[in-house]
């Protein structure tokens, strides 16, 4: 029988097949969790989209409803984190990166709308830091010293560009609802974030493209503010 | 770019973004270093392969001219692996997979080819991995993925094909090693699966029984072809790569079989050095590579 295998020790390919199959099994296991997360993300964005048609004074019910779905997403992320921390992070992270980014975006929007505050005194217009999002998701952020599941800077920044896209839409819709203050807050916020992105040295990647797109959002919201000021609709106190 | 205008300076998020900038810069720098190293490893590996294609022996040490000519390239490879070893440790071991894969594959192609010429066997994944680890030096091993090893082995078959065709055109016979069938890798063979595999291919009937028959390159090509054809890749980018390379690999083996056919049929008729079919084969082979 030894004569059958002169050049290749068949154990080589048996071993390789076993390794490749083991990776495939990990992928299958993670896939279900990622699909569950995707569902939670859809629910979060479904609920939060009501912000476009809800006056600020009534927003707390929307935020509470969103919080429920966010908690579900956090639960799934925790399970994902447990499972994924057993394998090299960057070997598989492309599988979930997109969904983790969407959850992050949901949390950022929820936080901006005042989700972190209590009751009616919710503070709006606040940008949750990457650490705050990590706390909310119960996962570490920007991990460097050990190999485990975490939220990356890129994911956070991409989620932030999504938030800006959504807020530029909210600026217009606020005006429709008769809220002339919110566009001003959004205007300032987008400018501040845009200024932040300006200091990054981005390579030719998705983050660069998204970051380049921010200037159009800045302009959109400026146009809204211009329209308001032209018609003397800007509330006095914010003018000063 | 670090300069901030008056408007930017007023942004409350500036400190946060400056932190991000530093992190992203580190990441991009690592990435650049790895891309460069990978490119250099690829180039040096190709040079090594070119030299090895001038070797005419099988199952013997690489002749001095080739060793001498390739030494600087091995040194480049070692230097490059060392230069990026620290960048590919811990959590970053897989982070730059896409950047290093080209260099790794090409290196495996040259390593497996040289190993084959010397020993007429396929270097194992573990040995190849250990080799890369040794080249990476003190800074920790650059990891070699099973995927890169497999894709490198596919490419090596093209080199063995070129080697065979050249040898046949020059010597008028298929390269055959000194190794006998019985001298294959020891142990392990007992548990080898599907001994019937070999029956599927058209091997000369005398080969399986004749333990002392030296193996030819064609025997080896057929054997590795079977192993690769039985390999079941996942549905992924890697799976797509395997599928593409599988076709090329099969063509390579076919080319050697066809060349041997024409050598067998017309070999006795041909005047010395007159091998039109083989010439043609060889040209298209180079193109496809």
């Amino acid at each position: 029988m030894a004569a059958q295998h002169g050049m290749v020790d068949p154990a080589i390919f048996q071993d390789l097949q076993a390794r490749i199959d083991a990776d495939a099994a990990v992928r299958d296991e993670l896939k279900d969790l990622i699909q569950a997360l995707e569902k939670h993300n859809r629910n979060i964005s479904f609920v939060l989209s009501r912000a476009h048609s809800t006056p600020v004074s009534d927003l707390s019910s929307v935020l509470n409803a969103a919080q429920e779905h966010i908690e579900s997403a956090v639960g799934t992320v925790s399970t994902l984190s447990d499972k994924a921390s057993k394998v090299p992070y960057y070997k598989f992270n492309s599988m979930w990166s997109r969904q983790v980014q969407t959850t992050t975006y949901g949390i950022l929007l929820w936080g901006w709308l005042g989700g972190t505050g209590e009751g009616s005194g919710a503070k709006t217009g606040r940008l949750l830091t990457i650490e705050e999002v990590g706390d909310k998701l119960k996962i570490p952020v920007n991990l460097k010293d050990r190999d485990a599941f975490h939220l990356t800077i890129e994911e956070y920044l991409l989620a932030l560009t999504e938030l800006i896209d959504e807020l530029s839409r909210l600026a217009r819709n606020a005006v429709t609802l008769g809220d002339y203050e919110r566009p001003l807050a959004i205007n300032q916020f987008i400018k501040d974030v845009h200024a932040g992105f300006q200091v990054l040295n981005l390579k030719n990647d998705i983050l660069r493209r998204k970051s380049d797109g921010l200037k159009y959002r800045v302009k959109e919201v400026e146009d809204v503010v211009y329209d308001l000021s032209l018609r003397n609709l800007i509330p006095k106190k914010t003018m000063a | 770019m670090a300069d901030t205008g008056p408007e930017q300076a007023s942004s409350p998020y500036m400190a946060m973004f400056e932190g991000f900038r530093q992190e992203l810069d580190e990441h991009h720098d690592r990435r650049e270093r790895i891309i460069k190293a990978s490119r250099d490893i690829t180039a040096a590996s190709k040079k090594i392969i070119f030299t090895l294609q001038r070797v005419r022996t099988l199952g013997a040490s690489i002749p001095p001219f080739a060793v001498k000519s390739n030494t600087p390239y091995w040194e480049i490879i070692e230097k490059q692996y060392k230069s990026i070893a620290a960048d590919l440790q811990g959590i970053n071991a897989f982070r730059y997979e896409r950047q290093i894969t080209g260099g790794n594959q090409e290196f495996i192609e040259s390593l497996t080819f040289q190993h084959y010429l010397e020993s007429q066997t396929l270097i194992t994944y573990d040995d190849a991995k250990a080799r890369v680890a040794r080249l990476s030096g003190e800074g920790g091993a650059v990891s070699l993925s099973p995927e890169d090893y497999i894709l490198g082995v596919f490419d090596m078959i093209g080199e063995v094909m070129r080697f065979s065709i050249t040898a046949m055109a020059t010597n008028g016979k298929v390269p055959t090693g000194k190794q006998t069938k019985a001298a294959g890798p020891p142990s392990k063979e007992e548990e080898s699966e599907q001994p019937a595999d070999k029956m599927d291919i058209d091997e000369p009937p005398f080969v399986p029984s004749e333990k002392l028959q030296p193996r030819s390159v064609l025997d080896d090509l057929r054997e590795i072809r079977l192993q690769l054809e039985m390999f079941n890749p996942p549905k992924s980018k890697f799976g797509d790569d395997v599928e593409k390379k599988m076709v090329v690999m099969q063509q390579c083996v076919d080319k050697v079989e066809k060349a041997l056919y024409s050598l067998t049929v017309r070999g006795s008729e041909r005047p010395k050095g007159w091998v039109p079919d083989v010439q043609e084969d060889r040209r298209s082979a180079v193109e496809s590579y």
Side-chain angles (χ1 to χ4, degrees), chain A residues 62-107:
Chain A
V62 172
L63 293 174
N64 289 339
Q67 176 141 20
E68 270 179 47
H69 294 299
I70 289 175
E71 292 310 327
S72 309
V74 170
T76 305
V77 168
S78 296
T79 319
L80 180 63
S81 170
D82 289 345
K83 292 237 157 77
S85 290
K86 295 192 182 95
V87 292
Y89 178 79
Y90 280 106
K91 192 167 178 182
F92 298 96
N93 93 311
S94 62
M95 290 184 72
W96 61 68
S97 193
R98 175 73 224 190
Q99 291 310 323
V100 167
Q101 180 196 314
T102 307
T103 311
T104 301
Y105 153 71
I107 292 172

Side-chain angles (χ1 to χ4, degrees), chain A residues 31-76:
Chain A
K31 214 177 277 168
D32 291 342
L33 283 169
I34 292 159
Q35 272 169 3
L37 184 58
E38 195 176 351
K39 208 175 134 226
H40 297 315
N41 284 339
R42 272 200 298 270
N43 287 336
I44 296 170
S45 96
F46 177 80
V47 171
L48 283 179
S49 71
R50 274 162 39 205
H52 289 284
S53 52
T54 309
V56 176
S57 51
D58 302 336
L59 212 51
S60 60
S61 68
V62 172
L63 293 174
N64 289 339
Q67 176 141 20
E68 270 179 47
H69 294 299
I70 289 175
E71 292 310 327
S72 309
V74 170
T76 305

Side-chain angles (χ1 to χ4, degrees), chain A residues 9 14 95 107 128 133 169 186 198 202 212 227 235 239:
Chain A
D9 179 351
Q14 283 162 16
M95 290 184 72
I107 292 172
L128 298 183
V133 175
R169 191 183 149 215
I186 292 175
Q198 295 297 299
L202 297 174
D212 284 351
D227 283 342
M239 281 289 274

Side-chain angles (χ1 to χ4, degrees), chain B:
Chain B
M1 218 170 285
D3 296 335
T4 50
E7 187 195 37
Q8 292 182 350
S10 69
S11 167
Y13 310 123
M14 212 41 76
M16 176 178 105
F17 274 95
E18 271 158 11
F20 290 157
R21 176 176 66 197
Q22 201 190 329
E23 297 285 337
L24 291 176
D25 284 353
E26 278 174 26
H27 161 64
H28 290 136
D29 289 349
R30 271 195 302 267
R31 203 170 156 275
E32 293 288 311
R33 280 197 293 272
I34 292 162
I35 290 172
K36 267 201 204 127
S38 178
R39 212 179 289 148
D40 288 353
I41 291 168
T42 303
S45 300
K46 278 188 200 293
K47 299 257 174 57
I48 288 174
I49 292 168
F50 283 141
T51 310
L52 292 177
Q53 285 295 356
R54 303 209 302 271
V55 173
R56 296 281 172 269
T57 51
L58 183 61
S61 321
I62 299 298
F65 85 86
V67 172
K68 186 161 172 270
S69 151
N70 276 342
T71 303
Y73 300 123
W74 286 106
E75 280 164 4
I76 289 173
I77 290 172
E78 180 164 12
K79 188 170 149 245
Q80 293 303 327
Y81 271 122
K82 275 206 171 76
S83 75
I84 54 167
D87 290 328
L88 292 167
Q89 299 306 311
I91 190 163
N92 290 330
F94 288 88
R95 190 172 188 176
Y96 305 98
E97 190 97 299
R98 229 181 292 169
Q99 281 73 43
I100 191 65
T101 182
N104 273 350
Q105 282 181 43
E106 201 71 29
F107 173 70
I108 289 303
E109 181 179 340
S110 65
L111 180 69
T112 49
F113 184 44
Q114 169 154 348
H115 185 90
Y116 175 73
L117 291 181
E118 285 175 321
S119 69
Q120 225 194 331
T121 57
L122 177 67
I123 190 169
T124 66
Y125 169 58
D126 289 334
D127 287 350
K129 206 172 151 178
R131 187 64 176 269
V132 175
R134 209 156 61 233
L135 291 171
S136 320
E138 310 289 298
V142 171
S143 65
L144 172 72
S145 67
E147 286 87 350
D148 286 347
Y149 171 82
I150 291 170
L151 296 175
V153 169
F154 269 107
D155 289 343
M156 175 214 44
I157 290 169
E159 299 306 329
V160 175
M161 180 274 290
R162 286 176 59 193
F163 167 77
S164 317
I165 302 280
T166 312
M168 283 157 83
T170 341
N171 305 332
K173 59 177 197 241
V174 68
T176 300
K178 298 182 185 73
Q179 272 218 358
T180 59
K181 289 277 181 180
S187 71
K188 299 252 167 87
E189 304 287 350
E190 308 287 317
E191 23 154 355
S192 70
E193 23 80 82
Q194 290 112 337
D197 279 352
K198 280 298 221 178
M199 301 317 222
D200 297 345
I201 58 166
D202 301 315
E203 208 152 5
F206 61 86
V207 172
S209 52
E210 295 274 314
K211 286 212 184 272
L212 291 177
Q213 183 74 26
R215 280 186 285 120
S216 75
V217 169
L218 189 55
D219 293 329
D220 292 337
L221 283 173
R222 285 170 174 162
E223 186 184 338
I224 194 159
R225 173 182 179 157
L226 275 178
Q227 289 288 343
L228 290 169
E229 281 174 347
M230 289 205 324
F231 178 71
N232 182 19
K235 283 191 177 41
S236 63
K237 161 96 174 41
F238 167 64
D240 296 344
D241 288 349
V242 166
E243 215 167 290
K244 271 181 233 144
K245 286 185 191 272
M246 191 73 81
V247 177
V248 177
M249 181 274 291
Q250 287 161 342
Q251 286 167 350
C252 285
V253 180
D254 286 353
K255 273 174 193 160
V256 178
E257 288 180 343
K258 280 177 187 149
L260 184 59
Y261 161 82
S262 65
L263 206 61
T264 310
V265 173
R266 279 162 267 174
S268 53
E269 301 165 9
R270 82 184 163 106
K272 259 255 174 297
W274 186 79
V275 276
D277 283 30
V278 170
Q279 289 289 344
E280 185 197 334
D281 261 347
R282 190 180 170 196
R283 203 161 44 239
S284 59
V286 171
E287 273 164 15
S288 76
Y289 246 67

Side-chain angles (χ1 to χ4, degrees), chain A residues 201-210 212, chain B residues 28 31-32:
Chain A
N201 303 320
L202 297 174
K203 297 288 163 195
N204 219 352
D205 57 8
I206 171 118
L207 193 53
R208 169 67 171 273
R209 284 196 298 281
K210 293 281 183 181
D212 284 351
Chain B
H28 290 136
R31 203 170 156 275
E32 293 288 311

Side-chain angles (χ1 to χ4, degrees), chain A residues 18 36 47 54 60 85 98 140 152 168 179 190-191 238:
Chain A
V47 171
T54 309
S60 60
S85 290
R98 175 73 224 190
T152 67
S168 73
D179 182 348
I190 293 189
K191 279 192 170 142
T238 30

